[in-house]
Amino acid sequence: MSRQATKAVGNRYYEARKKAAKYNEKLLTRAGAVDYLPGVTEDNLKRYELGITRPPNIVVALMADTYNEPELRAWYCVNECPLGKDCREIPEMPAERALLRFQNSVYEMEQLTCQLSLLMDDGKITEDEQPLIPQLRDKLLEFRRRADENLAALERATKSGKFD
């Protein structure tokens, strides 16, 4: 019987690997996982999963691909990358729900486009228009997140051959 790494439970990288191990039992152990992560040693992976050190972004990309969890990239950008302040985490959801959320935003996107065109019409931002900018920015970021949800669903489906 294999031992459970109790100190790593709750760590995003550890949880992603354990979830992926349901489909590839070689990922149950760090020793097996490093076979899929070029340049990563078992000790490095242990340090990442215990939160001792942060993995470089290239390693996170390898993990996301190996574990078939594209959401891991966005999680890294939001939580670990110092440049990721504008990134939003991509919630894990069924592909159908991601598509519905994206379709529902089409009407909102049309309204936003009208607001932006009115704002940009004279080429200046007046004092009255200034408070609109953060609201419009937040809406655009939400549209981007909904697009990213669908991209993640496509990536997962490409690897697994089906939509979950």
Side-chain angles (χ1 to χ4, degrees), residues 22-121:
K22 293 176 186 172
Y23 306 101
N24 180 348
E25 66 181 40
K26 200 165 182 196
L27 298 174
L28 279 170
T29 65
R30 290 182 184 123
V34 296
D35 290 344
Y36 297 97
L37 303 169
V40 177
T41 66
E42 194 175 340
D43 190 51
N44 289 142
L45 188 56
K46 177 182 175 182
R47 290 173 180 273
Y48 305 150
E49 290 184 356
L50 292 175
I52 296 168
T53 58
R54 289 184 180 157
N57 56 5
I58 188 70
V59 172
V60 176
L62 287 169
M63 288 180 189
D65 291 342
T66 299
Y67 305 156
N68 195 18
E69 191 166 334
E71 298 87 354
L72 192 59
R73 284 184 187 90
W75 180 89
Y76 172 81
C77 289
V78 171
N79 295 286
E80 305 231 327
C81 177
L83 301 175
K85 73 178 182 90
D86 286 338
C87 294
R88 300 293 186 262
E89 213 168 321
I90 301 170
E92 194 172 323
M93 67 180 68
E96 296 83 12
R97 182 162 179 254
L99 178 60
L100 286 172
R101 284 172 49 82
F102 193 62
Q103 284 178 320
N104 290 337
S105 66
V106 171
Y107 174 70
E108 294 172 38
M109 197 175 291
E110 287 175 9
Q111 288 180 318
L112 177 88
T113 304
C114 288
Q115 286 179 308
L116 274 173
S117 65
L118 289 172
L119 184 73
M120 295 176 172
D121 188 45

Side-chain angles (χ1 to χ4, degrees), residues 129-146:
E129 296 169 329
Q130 197 71 35
L132 291 174
I133 293 173
Q135 296 168 11
L136 295 173
R137 182 180 178 279
D138 289 346
K139 286 181 184 178
L140 283 170
L141 288 170
E142 179 61 25
F143 296 146
R144 181 168 73 184
R145 181 170 49 170
R146 290 183 182 199

Side-chain angles (χ1 to χ4, degrees), residues 148-161:
D148 287 343
E149 290 167 0
N150 283 275
L151 287 169
L154 281 174
E155 279 185 49
R156 276 194 313 276
T158 300
K159 280 199 162 195
S160 67

